Amino acid sequence: MPDRILSCSAALAEALNEEMTRDPSVFIIGEDIKAHAGIFGQFKGIPEKFPDRIIDTPISESAIAGVGLGAALTGLRPVVDLHFSDFVTCCMDELVNQTAKIRFMLGGQVRVPLVVWCPDGAGLRAAAQHSQSLEAWFVHTPGLKVVVPSEPVDVKGLIKAAIRDDDPVMFFQHKKLFAKEGPVPRGDYVIELGQAAVKRPGTDVTLIGYGSGYYLCREAAQQLSEMDIDAEVIDLRTLKPLDMQTVADSVKVTRRAVIVHEACRTGGFGAELAARIQEELFDYLAAPVKRVAARDVPMPFSPPLEDFVLPKVADVVAAVREVINRKERARGGSKSR
């Protein structure tokens, strides 16, 4: 059957429905799920179909995450709904001291098949405590896997892989992307964790993004094509494990890289990736790796100020033009794959 056009929200609901049908050990736990089917419609139809496998909780993220961990240790596969990614601050001990470490501290005698679902990102005028992008915190925590899908097809394929994984997965989904639509395969479609996707081939510069950053890359690549600059666009999809091979294959051809994410610049995932590129691919680079990110301030509530803080397509285009115009330096590298 041909792919259908679904929103990111509908793709998530469909994948969860299929996984709960396939595996009776999968359940969802969080706040107000039965009453509202998720604040972004991401659980539509699930409470009615699986009323005994939806657990509504008090407003206590530490309790929600703790129950999720305990259930995972008994062999169940919980999906923990944290409502907003900002609320991970209320359960950091459960996530980074317990969930991330317990399999290692028990010598691999247990599995922790837990998914922590975290809607993140800005652009909805939700102010500083409901607009953060915190994925870098968890990339920095050994024992956790980190997934950040962008398109509906990736949402479906990656949430299925995350639920089936025997390690804890932090699943970040940008709030502003829930309405984004795209083709989604029918049936049991799974994307292996740790596989980036080249979503636009190019030869002049590599644009690397994830989540909302991917869309900035995609739009920038279109504008750059009108300037006769051929940009390759990579959607990382998974930050940990990281598909460094796909990044390397691209940079060896283009010899330039621009990394784009919505999280603030300092200490963001772009810094880690830029370091990896310059450590492993320095001899191929014709220009320094550039980062495009949000400014290092708490996210403002004021719409004009929020727009000012967030990265824009124009910022990506400017970064590319800077690395393209930089004087070529002979580093050896090849222009053919």
Side-chain angles (χ1 to χ4, degrees):
M1 295 291 289
D3 297 350
R4 299 90 17 94
I5 301 300
L6 296 180
S7 67
C8 286
S9 179
L12 182 69
E14 179 173 277
L16 290 170
N17 191 323
E18 292 174 2
E19 287 303 292
M20 294 178 78
T21 300
R22 183 190 65 85
D23 185 348
S25 71
V26 178
F27 72 95
I28 302 172
I29 179 171
E31 301 165 13
D32 293 332
I33 299 174
K34 290 183 178 178
H36 303 295
I39 53 177
F40 303 102
Q42 71 276 14
F43 304 133
K44 186 176 181 180
I46 295 176
E48 294 83 3
K49 187 173 181 180
F50 304 100
D52 296 334
R53 288 156 64 190
I54 301 295
I55 300 177
D56 279 339
T57 69
I59 303 175
S60 173
E61 284 74 22
S62 60
I64 298 168
V67 169
L69 171 59
L73 290 172
T74 69
L76 299 176
R77 292 186 177 271
V79 176
V80 167
D81 173 15
L82 283 186
H83 242 50
F84 287 85
S85 69
D86 312 73
F87 302 158
V88 298
T89 55
C90 300
C91 54
M92 286 296 278
D93 182 66
E94 285 76 14
L95 294 178
V96 304
N97 278 333
Q98 310 302 331
T99 299
K101 298 177 174 63
I102 196 165
R103 190 172 187 179
F104 295 85
M105 295 178 71
L106 294 179
Q109 297 178 80
V110 298
R111 301 178 304 168
V112 189
L114 171 66
V115 176
V116 182
W117 184 78
C118 305
D120 68 348
L124 297 181
R125 319 313 190 191
Q129 295 175 338
H130 295 77
S131 303
Q132 298 174 88
S133 296
L134 302 175
E135 65 277 358
W137 288 3
F138 300 99
V139 173
H140 189 64
T141 302
L144 298 176
K145 296 179 179 179
V146 180
V147 176
V148 191
S150 56
E151 298 183 296
V153 62
D154 303 317
V155 171
K156 178 173 181 177
L158 290 169
I159 192 65
K160 281 174 164 279
I163 289 171
R164 299 179 191 187
D165 201 285
D166 286 336
D167 288 313
V169 179
M170 303 295 296
F171 197 92
F172 291 93
Q173 210 174 335
H174 197 289
K175 297 190 290 290
K176 204 170 181 181
L177 300 183
F178 278 99
K180 284 281 187 181
E181 295 185 334
V184 178
R186 298 176 186 274
D188 192 25
Y189 178 75
V190 182
I191 299 173
E192 182 181 346
L193 301 186
Q195 289 188 349
V198 177
K199 293 189 172 176
R200 184 188 191 279
T203 57
D204 293 330
V205 62
T206 301
L207 301 181
I208 308 168
Y210 56 88
S212 62
Y214 159 70
Y215 289 95
L216 295 178
C217 291
R218 191 176 73 176
E219 293 178 34
Q222 181 60 39
Q223 292 187 19
L224 290 164
S225 69
E226 298 169 3
M227 306 173 193
D228 201 28
I229 297 173
D230 190 19
E232 182 148 292
V233 176
I234 295 177
D235 186 351
L236 290 177
R237 304 194 297 192
T238 302
L239 306 187
K240 192 175 183 181
L242 173 66
D243 182 1
M244 192 63 194
Q245 187 61 56
T246 294
V247 173
D249 289 345
S250 179
V251 172
K252 286 177 181 179
V253 173
T254 66
R255 305 182 67 200
R256 301 168 179 85
V258 175
I259 304 164
V260 183
H261 58 64
E262 187 177 300
C264 60
R265 175 184 172 90
T266 301
F269 184 74
E272 171 64 25
L273 184 54
R276 288 281 302 272
I277 292 171
Q278 298 193 138
E279 284 176 352
E280 301 175 23
L281 302 166
F282 183 76
D283 289 339
Y284 292 93
L285 292 174
V289 178
K290 296 287 292 183
R291 290 176 289 156
V292 176
R295 299 172 188 269
D296 289 334
V297 297
M299 196 59 63
F301 172 73
S302 160
L305 290 179
E306 184 179 44
D307 292 341
F308 176 73
V309 167
L310 290 171
K312 302 168 188 63
V313 173
D315 300 328
V316 182
V317 172
V320 169
R321 296 190 68 174
E322 184 176 341
V323 299
I324 290 289
N325 292 333
R326 188 177 180 87
K327 185 178 179 180
E328 288 279 337
R329 296 172 297 174
R331 293 280 184 199
S334 170
K335 282 291 286 183
S336 60
R337 291 192 194 272

